[in-house]
Amino acid sequence: MEKYDYIEDVILTVDEGNVVKKNKPVTLATALLVIGAAALYFGISVQVAAGEIISSLLVVVGLLVIVSGIILLVIKKGGYFCRQTGQGVKKYKIYIAPDKSFKLQQVLRDGTYEELGALRQLNASNSSVEIFLSDDREYALLQALEFVPYNDIPTTPVIICHGDAARAVSVAVKG
């Protein structure tokens, strides 16, 4: 059996850089950190006669805003985008019944992607196809995988689809 690269490992290079990864901007997280720090500073430094409640409230709000900013910085997730269209590219995984594994290989080899939706789909199986599909359904990358204990192993190279072929793949994904 031939060894293939995982789609996630080659997604940025497989189609001559047509897929790019962009990180989420950090401006909101930075703004929250600055606002939280300012609220915390004023809550600690303001000495008003009846301001204990106000200063305590500012400290609590400042801490909450700072924690929110830190969380946004830590979980900043980017995404994949199609360079030509600017559309987002999302990941999908379809599980295929084990008895349809050979048919899946045929469909991918022959490029008859409209038959992909007809293959029986399950909630879990040892045979699957991983698909990266653009939001406008005009671009898709797909690869068949077979589960061998503890890992999915690629059984096909990454397949690139444009136009009608990508729309046929999208029917299997989104119906």
Side-chain angles (χ1 to χ4, degrees), residues 22-98:
K22 293 183 182 176
N23 290 329
K24 192 186 330 183
V26 294
T27 52
L28 177 61
T30 306
L32 286 175
L33 288 173
V34 169
I35 291 168
L40 186 62
Y41 173 76
F42 285 118
I44 291 172
S45 66
V46 170
Q47 299 293 328
V48 179
E52 285 186 27
I53 295 175
I54 294 172
S55 68
S56 297
L57 182 66
L58 280 173
V59 168
V60 170
V61 168
L63 289 173
L64 288 174
V65 172
I66 287 172
V67 168
S68 299
I70 291 171
I71 289 172
L72 276 177
L73 277 176
V74 170
I75 63 167
K76 67 172 184 173
K77 267 182 105 175
Y80 293 112
F81 292 87
C82 182
R83 182 176 297 207
Q84 294 172 339
T85 64
Q87 296 288 317
V89 177
K90 292 187 178 80
K91 178 180 176 180
Y92 301 92
K93 189 166 191 172
I94 299 174
Y95 292 96
I96 307 295

Side-chain angles (χ1 to χ4, degrees), residues 1 22 41-42 49 79 91 99 110 122 124 127-128 132-133 166:
M1 184 154 105
K22 293 183 182 176
Y41 173 76
F42 285 118
K91 178 180 176 180
D99 62 327
D110 298 342
L122 305 171
S127 182
S128 63
F132 283 85
L133 181 65

Side-chain angles (χ1 to χ4, degrees), residues 11-29:
I11 190 168
L12 300 176
T13 59
V14 72
D15 191 18
E16 299 172 4
N18 193 33
V19 176
V20 294
K21 186 169 185 168
K22 293 183 182 176
N23 290 329
K24 192 186 330 183
V26 294
T27 52
L28 177 61

